[in-house]
Structures are given as structure tokens and as C-alpha cells.
Amino acid sequence: YLPLPGAVSDPWKLMLLDATFRAVQQTCHLIHYLRLSHHLIALNYLICTFDKLKSVSSEDIKITDAVFDGVEVRVFEPPAKGDESLRRSVVYFHGGGWALASARTSLYNNLCRIMAESLNAVVVSVEYRLVPEVCFPEQYHDALRATKHFLQPDVLAEYSVDPSRIAVSGDSAGGNLAAAVCQQLSKDEDLPVRPKLQALIYPVLQAFDFNTPSYQQNMNMPVLPRYVMINYWIDYLNGNYDLAHELLINNHTALNVGRALSFHARLNWTSLLPASFKKNYQPVVQTTGTAGIVEQLPALLDVRAVPLLADDATLARQPRSYVLTCENDVLRDDGAMYAKRLERAGVRVTLDHFHDCFHGCMIFTVWPTDFSAGVQTRNSYIKWLDENL
């Protein structure tokens, strides 16, 4: 498949990146087929082998690796300024389908360094465990434990962080974890410190409907076609790839699936999306589906995995929010629906939509994967944090 020229910024460079990634994936699937290693382990090994950085501090930013309640983190600290004793902070969860990448790869190392420098903020990048080593809910538990540890007053004091100026953020699968963590923190009545903001970058927030307009429009779009996102969900929830087609046609949330019935109103994109997103696409709602899918994968309806399924009372407790979406992304509507539901629940929300950008673009700002879309989205995201944190 080829994206239309002009449909995204830097289209030919994006096709080259996607072709390279697909070739590497095919190699890793061959390794899996030969039973030499799990394909995700092989893929992540290749990514991290060529990309991992050592914990080296510079004159501008101090970078250290630490352990927060059993969870590895990388902390980026700007130099102290004489005119202020406390700094703001961002807890960040990297993307990668809950299975790939690392807080230590150059792409995320570079992002978090720039955030720390631009915001004069302490950035905590969480190194949660990955699929297939662990599956849901362990990534969520790692993210929650590390965040709650950091929010302890004595830990904040150790890093000279202002307890009233903390954001929780993440991109893609990391945006999923950030949203889920914020929802849980909002329910913890004994928590002495709470996030001021949440900032979600093209987050993956639901596995209920794989036929939203953005899933239909971008089903073959680099670098995250629909079938790849479905497989990430199956891996995360420790399911079987044989379910992929059932999920693709929404058989798991058909009208005869009683456990899913009550959630349809919360993900009714016909009422949650603007006309510019809906275009002429039609809902795909099966009358008769396969109720056994939800029995096999109950996490499909677990709000810790699927934050968009949260009730209105939970959403009303969320902090001021920022949601970044890209037009050329299957996950566009996940973010837009969440922003609308938060807004209806009374939360102050900024939906920052980019018409010519694609999924994952914000981390691609360094040669040879340097995209104008990456710089554009990153600058907008950091600007919002700077103005609101």
C-alpha cells in the first residue's frame, strides 16, 4: 500500500520508514517460526541493541536510573536555578504497543531530555515491563506503582519537585497507561498528592470498536495499520491470534454479547465525534456475534486496560487534560472520543489535532528518522505543558 502524496507530511520518508520496519518485523516472525525466540523479543532486541543509550549525564541535564517500588525508571533533572527552589515534573510512559521500545532508547531519551530542558522540569520516564515477559495487568501495575511512589512527599522533596505541579503523560500505549493511572489515582482517597494535568499523545484507549471512522479510514496507514493494532491488543491481553478476525469485525461487542451491551453508549462515536471525523463512514455493529471472546479475554471490558469504558463519575474526577490526535492514525478517534467524554463530564480539555501527521510521529525528530510532523507535534505538546503546568 502507498499513502497518497500530501496525505501526510514527508510521505516518501514515511514509506521508507514503514518498509524498513515491516522488513524487520518479517525477519522477527521468521525467527519466531523457527522457534528461536518470540518475535516481539527479537524485534525489541534489535530496536534496543541499535538504539539503547547508557545513563550519561550532560552539563545541562542530569540523567540517572533508579527503582521506584520495584519498577525501573530513568530520571531527567535540569540544573537547579537560584531563583526557584521547587520544579515542576512529568511522569512519562513510552509507547510501543506495551511490547516494544524503552525509556532508554535514543528516541525517548531525546524526547524526555528536551522536555526537561524546555520545561525546567524533572521528567520520570517509566521502564515498565513488556509483552511477552508479562501481559495485562502487569504493565498497568508497574505504571501505577512507579507513579504512586514518586508522588510520595518525601520522594518529591528528594527531587525538589513542587507537589502541585505534576503531570502524567504518555504516547500511544503509554497514553493508555497514563489515562488508566490517572483514573485509578482519582479514586485513591488516601493519596496525599495528585497530578495537576494529564497529557495523552495519540493514546490507544479502547478495544471495543475496531471500525471507528479512523480505523476504517487508516486501516492500511503506516506505521500502525489496523491489523497490527489488533495484534498488539491480543498480545497485551494474552490472547490468541485466531481471534483477530472476530475482533476486526466487532463480533466481541455484538448486540447479543450481554457483558458488552451496557458499554455501547460510552463508545457511540456517532455522538462523540465531529462531522469532520465521521465523514461518510457507518457504524459496524453486529447483531449476533461471539460472546465467548469476552469470556476468553475479559480484559476487553476492563477499564484498567480500556480507559474509554470508564463511567462518567470517574471521568469527572480527572485532572485538566490534553489529548493530541493525528488525522492519519487508526487511533485518532480513541483520543477524540475520550476528549469529548471528559469535556461532557466537566473536565477542562484541549484536543490538539494535526491534519497531516501520523501515529508515532512525535518521537521521530532525529536523523535519519526526522520528520517535520515530529517537531510540529512535540513543540505543540511542550508548549501546552509549559502554559498549564
Side-chain angles (χ1 to χ4, degrees):
Y1 55 84
L2 296 176
L4 294 175
V8 294
S9 60
D10 308 312
W12 307 116
K13 188 183 293 184
L14 175 59
M15 284 192 294
L16 179 60
L17 173 65
D18 185 63
T20 302
F21 189 62
R22 286 163 64 88
V24 172
Q25 283 183 311
Q26 289 174 355
T27 301
C28 293
H29 279 288
L30 176 60
I31 291 172
H32 189 126
Y33 176 76
L34 296 174
R35 299 185 179 180
L36 299 175
S37 177
H38 192 286
H39 70 95
L40 290 172
I41 293 177
L43 181 56
N44 213 31
Y45 176 80
L46 291 174
I47 292 172
C48 293
T49 295
F50 288 104
D51 204 23
K52 188 175 292 186
L53 295 180
K54 295 181 179 179
S55 177
V56 178
S57 300
S58 69
E59 294 181 1
D60 297 324
I61 299 294
K62 177 184 177 183
I63 304 174
T64 55
D65 292 325
V67 177
F68 286 1
D69 192 16
V71 181
E72 295 182 10
V73 299
R74 173 161 283 195
V75 183
F76 299 76
E77 297 178 78
K81 293 185 177 180
D83 59 343
E84 59 182 6
S85 57
L86 296 178
R87 296 168 294 191
R88 48 194 175 178
S89 182
V90 180
V91 178
Y92 196 87
F93 306 109
H94 69 79
W98 307 281
L100 304 175
S102 164
R104 298 182 175 92
T105 56
S106 65
L107 295 174
Y108 285 105
N109 201 83
N110 181 62
L111 172 63
C112 291
R113 178 192 290 274
I114 290 175
M115 289 167 58
E117 291 174 345
S118 302
L119 299 170
N120 188 35
V122 175
V123 177
V124 177
S125 188
V126 179
E127 188 81 320
Y128 56 89
R129 291 170 294 167
L130 302 174
V131 173
E133 176 193 354
V134 298
C135 298
F136 175 82
E138 297 309 315
Q139 286 85 348
Y140 163 79
H141 286 156
D142 285 356
L144 183 62
R145 285 205 313 274
T147 305
K148 292 183 72 172
H149 177 87
F150 182 64
L151 292 178
Q152 295 179 74
D154 58 330
V155 178
L156 296 177
E158 177 185 348
Y159 289 100
S160 300
V161 168
D162 185 341
S164 66
R165 305 178 73 191
I166 300 169
V168 173
S169 184
D171 66 291
S172 193
N176 170 282
L177 295 174
V181 164
C182 278
Q183 288 184 9
Q184 182 57 41
L185 294 178
S186 74
K187 300 174 184 178
D188 191 337
E189 297 180 356
D190 298 325
L191 197 66
V193 177
R194 299 181 186 278
K196 179 183 181 182
L197 306 173
Q198 70 172 337
L200 313 178
I201 313 303
Y202 32 74
V204 47
L205 298 171
Q206 61 92 21
F208 194 90
D209 184 356
F210 290 108
N211 290 275
T212 63
S214 62
Y215 265 113
Q216 295 186 55
Q217 172 183 303
N218 300 301
M219 64 174 65
N220 293 317
M221 179 65 66
V223 293
L224 187 66
R226 177 168 59 174
Y227 78 92
V228 171
M229 189 63 245
I230 291 175
N231 285 341
Y232 278 140
W233 271 112
I234 290 173
D235 287 324
Y236 184 40
L237 304 183
N238 198 24
N240 191 303
Y241 292 137
D242 292 343
L243 297 175
H245 180 70
E246 301 265 22
L247 296 175
L248 186 147
I249 61 175
N250 289 344
N251 267 357
H252 61 304
T253 54
L255 296 179
N256 70 318
V257 180
R259 293 180 58 184
L261 202 55
S262 62
F263 292 109
H264 278 274
R266 299 180 190 178
L267 283 96
N268 180 11
W269 59 258
T270 63
S271 67
L272 292 171
L273 296 178
S276 59
F277 283 16
K278 290 186 289 188
K279 301 182 175 68
N280 293 320
Y281 293 105
Q282 298 300 315
V284 176
V285 181
Q286 305 293 350
T287 303
T288 303
T290 310
I293 298 174
V294 177
E295 301 299 325
Q296 293 181 54
L297 297 178
L300 286 168
L301 301 179
D302 189 325
V303 294
R304 298 174 301 168
V306 189
L308 194 49
L309 292 181
D311 58 38
D312 291 341
T314 298
L315 296 183
R317 292 192 293 265
Q318 299 314 295
R320 185 171 184 177
S321 302
Y322 171 91
V323 182
L324 186 151
T325 57
C326 297
E327 180 67 21
N328 304 288
D329 181 6
V330 293
L331 301 179
R332 179 199 67 189
D333 296 344
D334 285 26
M337 287 190 289
Y338 198 56
K340 176 56 69 173
R341 289 200 63 210
L342 287 169
E343 182 183 77
R344 288 180 178 178
V347 178
R348 296 176 67 186
V349 183
T350 297
L351 177 60
D352 199 6
H353 182 63
F354 292 84
H355 292 280
D356 62 346
C357 295
F358 59 93
H359 186 82
C361 64
M362 199 175 77
I363 60 172
F364 296 125
T365 60
V366 180
W367 188 90
T369 57
D370 51 328
F371 289 84
S372 59
V375 175
Q376 182 185 5
T377 51
R378 186 190 67 194
N379 289 349
S380 187
Y381 162 68
I382 291 177
K383 181 175 184 290
W384 185 89
L385 285 174
D386 191 36
E387 293 173 349
N388 294 282
L389 186 56

